[in-house]
């Protein structure tokens, strides 16, 4: 019983580390895409942004989008990112 608790605790720590790392990546990619858009440079593909959101960066990406006002007129992002977040929370509740 104690071993199971310790094992789960390690898994939770790994989850926290993953969420932090993927959130930092989500922020950096969103800011990079905004920078590239303003300077007419090569952009970050939308599928990459959505994949990073699906891998756990949805909250960080959504907040960054609001702060830097990037992709806020695209329904794919304004509806898709919150939907991804809801699905992630639902998946965590099932575990």
């Amino acid at each position: 019983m104690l071993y199971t608790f310790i094992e789960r605790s390690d898994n939770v720590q790994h989850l926290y580390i993953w969420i932090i790392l993927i959130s930092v990546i989500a922020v950096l990619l969103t800011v990079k895409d905004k920078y590239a858009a303003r300077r007419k440079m090569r952009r970050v593909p939308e599928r990459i942004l959505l994949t990073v959101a699906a891998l756990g960066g949805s909250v960080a990406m959504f907040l960054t989008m609001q702060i830097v006002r990037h992709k806020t007129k695209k329904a794919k992002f304004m509806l898709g990112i919150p939907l991804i977040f809801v699905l992630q929370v639902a998946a965590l509740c099932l575990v």
Side-chain angles (χ1 to χ4, degrees), residues 41-93:
M41 297 167 58
R42 186 170 179 189
R43 307 276 303 273
V44 177
E46 289 185 351
R47 68 180 165 78
I48 299 293
L49 293 172
L50 291 170
T51 299
V52 170
L55 290 174
S58 57
V59 172
M61 186 171 290
F62 187 78
L63 292 175
T64 304
M65 286 169 39
Q66 297 301 313
I67 291 167
V68 300
R69 296 179 185 241
H70 187 55
K71 302 268 188 205
T72 56
K73 293 182 180 177
K74 288 202 156 214
K76 182 190 298 187
F77 285 87
M78 295 314 297
L79 299 174
I81 303 289
L83 177 62
I84 289 170
F85 175 69
V86 168
L87 293 173
Q88 289 168 338
V89 170
L92 284 175
C93 290

